[in-house]
Amino acid sequence: MSAKEAPTLPLLTPYKMGNFNLSHRIVMAPMGRLRSYNNVPQPHAILYHSQRTSEGGLLIAESTGISDTAQGYPNIPGIWTKEQVEAWKPIVDAVHAKGGIFFCQIVHVGRVSNPDFQPNRQAPISCTDKPLSPQSHGFDSVTTKFRAPRRLTTDEIPHIVNDFRIAARNAIEAGFDGVEIHGAHGYLIEQFLKDQVNDRIYKYGGSLKNRCRFALEVIEAVSEEIGAERVGIRLSPFADYNECGDSDPEALGIYMAKSLNKFGIAYCHVVEPRMKNPEEKSECSQSVVPMRKAFNGTFIVAGGYDREDGNKAIVENRADLVAYGRWFLANPDLPKRFQLNAPLNKYDRKLFYTTNSIYGYTDYPFLETIA
Ligand SMILES: Cc1cc2nc3c(=O)[nH]c(=O)nc-3n(C[C@H](O)[C@H](O)[C@H](O)COP(=O)(O)O)c2cc1C
């Protein structure tokens, strides 16, 4: 049977996410590539994103810092200065020129940082003053020693919420279709959410409701600023990456999923429980289905999916969309390869996080060039 006669794959069926008409359900997951020198997006990102754009496909840009205290890695892009906003514009334009839909993932890393990344070499900020154990990020080319964070005072928290608001406004100014709030992987929002890190008492700590307050204030502020239909959030209640675990991840996930309903945001994007860290899959009996059921909007899953189990997630209605990280990194034409059931390029882990503007970045071949 030729590709044309083949039945349509569930992953390749159209989907309407609010005002966005997606032509298929294969999303590019956010992936930091550490090639935005001095936190400014670079021209090589135009080609990288354009290569991975398909008409009606959704792309989520890599985690992008909201302020000068938000960084913990070298060369991640930011969106708090005019120069950064201007630098994003041609990248966004290139995605739009090919009919893609482009969200920007906005992040504050909180305590996953050290004074080298902070203004005036100050301590990183967090909900806590508990340090991460000194360790490397596990990136081949990046080793960071963590330093004890400074605990934010209650009065300071609205300023950080406001930084998210301004970053979202800037993302729209840069042309993005929306933002994804990074509430996963042990960064600032998750530091508040999870009881193994959040040791506050009073307004932003203690009860589940209080731990979720910061995240929900960010969502409210960002939704007010740019419209809820342009807002998504990424959550990883089951992961313990960056030493950020919770004693009852299922209750946390369901509480957040239900709380999101009142904002009417574009989507909730959940990292699978099997992804205890962002890169390695392991067997696990927990499931995101209760969160899927609790949330009324578009539900995106990510983490360790291939063509077969992505299709299965759609058929079994466990998700509306499936985000692919490493396979998209290495296969710019991933939707086409899935359509044709073509072999996939292998990804080269050593080149995930180098500063090189071509190798391991824009040099993964398209199907036509291999044939
Ligand atoms: C190179 C690389 C960079 C990543 N950077 C981010 C990031 O900036 N934000 C984020 O939420 N997840 C990040 N992740 C996690 C991915 O979005 C995704 O959840 C993970 O790769 C698992 O999906 P996969 O099995 O399809 O690769 C990164 C993963 C990789 C491999």
Side-chain angles (χ1 to χ4, degrees):
M1 189 160 48
S2 76
K4 273 203 171 131
E5 295 157 1
T8 310
L9 280 187
L11 278 171
L12 290 170
T13 53
Y15 177 78
K16 193 164 161 49
M17 181 177 83
N19 301 330
F20 301 106
N21 290 311
L22 306 184
S23 66
H24 61 77
R25 295 159 187 257
I26 303 162
V27 177
M28 184 166 108
M31 279 176 290
R33 306 303 314 277
L34 311 193
R35 285 155 164 91
S36 296
Y37 314 138
N38 298 317
N39 309 124
V40 179
Q42 297 294 309
H44 44 250
I46 300 174
L47 179 59
Y48 173 75
H49 288 94
S50 154
Q51 285 177 333
R52 284 157 183 77
T53 304
S54 55
E55 172 85 41
L58 173 62
L59 285 79
I60 305 168
E62 67 196 281
S63 59
T64 299
I66 60 161
S67 69
D68 62 354
T69 63
Q71 273 66 237
Y73 306 94
N75 302 320
I76 78 159
I79 194 131
W80 74 91
T81 71
K82 179 95 185 119
E83 183 188 12
Q84 291 160 344
V85 172
E86 292 304 313
W88 272 116
K89 285 183 180 173
I91 305 167
V92 180
D93 287 348
V95 171
H96 285 160
K98 287 177 77 179
I101 294 139
F102 202 15
F103 274 51
C104 180
Q105 188 187 55
I106 53 175
V107 71
H108 193 301
V109 300
R111 68 175 186 160
V112 187
S113 186
N114 73 38
D116 290 344
F117 295 107
Q118 298 297 321
N120 307 317
R121 296 194 48 78
Q122 67 193 32
I125 53 168
S126 181
C127 63
T128 180
D129 51 14
K130 275 190 297 192
L132 281 154
S133 21
Q135 63 185 25
S136 92
H137 279 306
F139 295 169
D140 297 319
S141 53
V142 187
T143 328
T144 298
K145 296 275 179 256
F146 301 120
R147 284 288 181 75
R150 180 178 68 78
R151 182 192 297 268
L152 287 164
T153 64
T154 307
D155 293 348
E156 287 177 294
I157 293 174
H159 297 295
I160 313 294
V161 173
N162 199 47
D163 287 342
F164 274 98
R165 177 200 289 269
I166 294 168
R169 184 197 303 161
N170 289 347
I172 299 303
E173 157 72 23
F176 281 104
D177 298 291
V179 300
E180 174 173 288
I181 296 163
H182 199 338
H185 296 159
Y187 300 124
L188 184 63
I189 290 180
E190 208 182 59
Q191 290 159 29
F192 274 87
L193 289 175
K194 292 190 167 174
D195 62 5
Q196 287 172 9
V197 177
N198 188 337
D199 56 357
R200 300 178 82 88
I201 47 171
Y202 186 52
K203 198 172 167 188
Y204 291 95
S207 65
L208 182 55
K209 184 173 171 211
N210 283 352
R211 282 187 278 119
C212 294
R213 187 184 306 278
F214 175 62
L216 297 173
E217 286 181 355
V218 170
I219 292 160
E220 185 172 26
V222 169
S223 299
E224 264 173 26
E225 186 66 35
I226 64 170
E229 70 285 357
R230 293 179 180 279
V231 179
I233 185 162
R234 189 172 223 209
L235 298 170
S236 60
F238 298 94
D240 53 14
Y241 189 57
N242 285 318
E243 295 170 35
C244 201
D246 192 80
S247 59
D248 192 351
E250 185 145 316
L252 171 63
I254 293 173
Y255 181 87
M256 278 301 291
K258 282 189 178 154
S259 305
L260 295 176
N261 287 334
K262 68 169 178 287
F263 300 105
I265 60 171
Y267 66 78
C268 176
H269 181 180
V270 180
V271 178
E272 285 286 344
R274 62 192 173 191
M275 303 305 284
K276 287 285 178 202
N277 74 55
E279 287 177 20
E280 294 305 330
K281 175 163 137 181
S282 58
E283 280 321 304
C284 141
S285 59
Q286 288 160 312
S287 151
V288 295
V289 170
M291 286 183 74
R292 157 60 155 179
K293 289 192 175 143
F295 182 63
N296 296 336
T298 295
F299 198 73
I300 309 180
V301 290
Y305 279 94
D306 60 17
R307 180 179 185 269
E308 301 325 314
D309 61 3
N311 276 318
K312 215 160 159 247
I314 301 298
V315 171
E316 293 173 2
N317 198 26
R318 284 184 277 115
D320 299 304
L321 307 171
V322 180
Y324 289 87
R326 288 160 294 180
W327 289 129
F328 230 133
L329 183 156
N331 295 273
D333 49 0
L334 188 66
K336 185 169 180 194
R337 288 182 193 239
F338 279 178
Q339 180 186 7
L340 301 175
N341 203 8
L344 300 180
N345 298 326
K346 301 246 174 313
Y347 44 83
D348 185 348
R349 190 179 293 275
K350 291 191 303 303
L351 301 177
F352 280 176
Y353 305 111
T354 73
T355 52
N356 195 286
S357 61
I358 299 172
Y359 302 125
Y361 192 56
T362 50
D363 63 344
Y364 283 106
F366 285 78
L367 210 45
E368 303 86 87
T369 48
I370 302 170

